[in-house]
Amino acid sequence: MATRVLALLAVVALLALAPLAAPAAAQEDTPFGPVPTETPKPEKAPGEDDVSRTTLYLIAAGVLVAIVGIGYAISRDARRSLTAEDREAVEREERGERLETGPSKQARERARKQRAKVKASRRARRQNR
């Protein structure tokens, strides 16, 4: 038991003396010393200026013009390579005519007859209750 007490006193003494040794170590030039608060500003080499806002706007406008030009060229080329059937469909669409893209006339008639059969069977079930 006495050895435990002595070990505990030794640890407490070491912990109490540790902060006294720290200021001496901080004054030394070590990698663990205090961190400098001011960072030096890098010097600009001659001819290195910041890019102005006007220059950035000009670059953005150039990119926009390039993208629009590429889109125009692609669409013009796509219209040139259309088949005769596709070209007629585009012309009809430009005139405002409705393109027939829905179900055929026969399919609409079959669907109408099927709905009529379903309605008739519902009516028959209601009457048989």
Side-chain angles (χ1 to χ4, degrees), residues 2-82:
T3 56
R4 286 186 182 177
V5 172
L6 286 176
L8 182 63
L9 287 175
V11 169
V12 170
L14 285 175
L15 290 175
L17 295 176
L20 297 177
Q27 292 176 358
E28 295 177 15
D29 192 22
T30 65
F32 303 108
V35 178
T37 56
E38 293 183 20
T39 57
K41 294 183 180 179
E43 295 181 20
K44 291 184 180 181
E48 283 188 23
D49 292 329
D50 290 334
V51 178
S52 68
R53 187 172 288 195
T54 306
T55 305
L56 293 176
Y57 285 143
L58 288 173
I59 292 170
V63 169
L64 183 65
V65 166
I67 289 173
V68 169
I70 291 170
Y72 176 74
I74 289 172
S75 65
R76 190 178 70 188
D77 183 54
R79 285 189 179 254
R80 284 184 187 169
S81 62
L82 287 177

Side-chain angles (χ1 to χ4, degrees), residues 42-129:
E43 295 181 20
K44 291 184 180 181
E48 283 188 23
D49 292 329
D50 290 334
V51 178
S52 68
R53 187 172 288 195
T54 306
T55 305
L56 293 176
Y57 285 143
L58 288 173
I59 292 170
V63 169
L64 183 65
V65 166
I67 289 173
V68 169
I70 291 170
Y72 176 74
I74 289 172
S75 65
R76 190 178 70 188
D77 183 54
R79 285 189 179 254
R80 284 184 187 169
S81 62
L82 287 177
T83 63
E85 182 180 303
D86 292 337
R87 188 164 289 139
E88 289 173 10
V90 169
E91 289 172 0
R92 274 185 272 149
E93 188 176 294
E94 287 174 352
R95 287 192 304 250
E97 295 178 11
R98 182 169 181 240
L99 298 175
E100 187 64 39
T101 58
S104 67
K105 195 173 188 179
Q106 294 88 6
R108 287 192 302 265
E109 186 64 27
R110 280 194 306 266
R112 187 187 62 74
K113 286 181 181 179
Q114 182 64 31
R115 282 192 298 269
K117 284 182 184 179
V118 170
K119 285 181 182 180
S121 69
R122 283 184 190 152
R123 272 187 252 127
R125 276 187 259 143
R126 286 185 194 145
Q127 290 176 357
N128 290 338
R129 285 186 185 181

